[in-house]
């Protein structure tokens, strides 16, 4: 199974700042089959990015994804108040789907 | 607009079988092109994919849970279900049903249910 490790565990930033979240895989993720989700308290996760860098429908362009192989990044260019949440990466390139443990993005 | 809704007991006794159903509206499971998954989240923790089913009945399970999991589909009711046997307190979690497939790829979850908390306790 591919293990995904996200860093940092918690990121404290202010609205308007740039957020950079990391996801590292224990082995190469085939075809960049890597997705990112946002989860707010009491809600189901929401798809942001798929294929490592493609935004899902309706996702603002301040969200961008990059990376390949074992290292992937989610960048939020200018944080809005509604962006403070937990973010998960997920790989679907292997037969068993796995998620990272999450990065909590909190208001500084 | 596709909607998914989980239903089932919120409390299950240890060693018993957890049973949940996901009802899909706004789209037909039998139209194909999509995989229907169960995913769980332990309290305050991350996400764990349990397995998925295709409308034809083909299934794939997380190897770590495979021996205890059965996912089935009832296309006439537009529902799919989860059974998890021999539960312990470690199976206490919020259980989500979700869709993946045609829109973004076989493992990308674009629609989720709201989740249902299942507690394992005597």
């Amino acid at each position: 199974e591919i293990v995904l490790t996200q860093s940092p565990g918690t990121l404290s930033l202010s609205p308007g700042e740039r957020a950079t979240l990391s996801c590292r895989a224990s082995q190469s993720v085939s075809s960049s089959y890597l997705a990112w989700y946002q989860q707010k308290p009491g809600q189901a996760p929401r798809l942001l990015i798929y294929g490592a860098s493609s935004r899902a429908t309706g996702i603002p362009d301040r969200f961008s994804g990059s990376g390949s192989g074992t290292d992937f990044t989610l960048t939020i260019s200018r944080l809005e108040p509604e962006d403070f949440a937990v973010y998960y990466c997920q790989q679907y390139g292997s037969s068993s789907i796995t998620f990272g443990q999450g990065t909590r993005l909190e208001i500084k | 607009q596709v909607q998914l809704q989980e239903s089932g007991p919120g409390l299950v006794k240890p060693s018993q079988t957890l049973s949940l159903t996901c009802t899909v509206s706004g789209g037909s499971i039998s139209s194909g092109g999509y995989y229907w998954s169960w995913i769980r989240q332990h309290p305050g923790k991350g996400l764990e994919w349990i397995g998925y089913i295709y409308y034809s009945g083909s299934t794939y399970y997380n190897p770590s849970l495979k021996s205890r999991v059965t996912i089935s589909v009832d296309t006439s009711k537009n529902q799919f279900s989860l059974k998890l046997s021999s539960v312990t307190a470690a199976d206490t979690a919020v259980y989500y049903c979700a869709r993946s497939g045609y829109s973004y790829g076989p493992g990308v979850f674009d629609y989720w249910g709201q989740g249902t908390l299942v507690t394992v306790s005597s």
Side-chain angles (χ1 to χ4, degrees):
Chain A
E1 139 178 323
I2 296 178
V3 176
L4 299 178
T5 302
Q6 293 186 239
S7 61
T10 301
L11 186 57
S12 300
L13 293 170
S14 300
E17 291 192 293
R18 180 184 185 91
T20 302
L21 287 67
S22 175
C23 177
R24 177 162 290 178
S26 61
Q27 55 189 280
S28 184
V29 177
S30 61
S31 304
S32 295
Y33 284 159
L34 193 287
W36 290 92
Y37 299 83
Q38 175 194 70
Q39 188 178 33
K40 295 181 179 179
Q43 296 183 16
R46 172 196 181 198
L47 174 66
L48 300 175
I49 300 287
Y50 67 100
S53 61
S54 298
R55 272 188 303 276
T57 300
I59 301 303
D61 60 8
R62 65 179 180 274
F63 291 91
S64 63
S66 63
S68 63
T70 60
D71 289 295
F72 299 87
T73 301
L74 174 71
T75 301
I76 311 171
S77 59
R78 285 180 55 86
L79 286 166
E80 298 286 344
E82 62 267 28
D83 297 337
F84 292 91
V86 179
Y87 291 83
Y88 294 96
C89 59
Q90 174 230 336
Q91 68 78 24
Y92 52 103
S94 75
S95 55
S96 186
I97 294 168
T98 54
F99 292 86
Q101 84 280 14
T103 289
R104 180 179 303 277
L105 179 55
E106 63 177 26
I107 299 177
K108 187 173 182 180
Chain B
Q1 178 80 345
V2 174
Q3 293 185 311
L4 294 84
Q5 178 67 59
E6 305 89 352
S7 59
L11 181 63
V12 180
K13 288 181 166 52
S15 80
Q16 293 190 341
T17 295
L18 177 160
S19 296
L20 295 173
T21 296
C22 182
T23 301
V24 179
S25 59
S28 173
I29 289 178
S30 59
S31 63
Y34 293 101
Y35 299 83
W36 305 92
S37 282
W38 288 98
I39 296 162
R40 69 181 183 180
Q41 186 168 34
H42 295 101
K45 302 295 185 183
L47 299 156
E48 180 179 32
W49 174 73
I50 298 170
Y52 67 61
I53 191 164
Y54 196 57
Y55 80 98
S56 61
S58 298
T59 54
Y60 195 85
Y61 301 138
N62 185 326
S64 68
L65 296 168
K66 184 177 181 179
S67 64
R68 298 194 292 132
V69 173
T70 302
I71 298 176
S72 58
V73 65
D74 186 339
T75 54
S76 67
K77 295 181 178 179
N78 220 30
Q79 296 176 333
F80 63 105
S81 298
L82 168 71
K83 291 189 184 300
L84 181 65
S85 64
S86 305
V87 297
T88 69
D91 294 308
T92 293
V94 173
Y95 286 77
Y96 294 99
C97 56
R99 185 189 85 166
S100 65
Y102 177 77
S103 299
Y104 299 107
V108 182
F109 303 106
D110 59 349
Y111 285 97
W112 297 65
Q114 65 186 24
T116 187
L117 174 63
V118 178
T119 301
V120 178
S121 175
S122 56

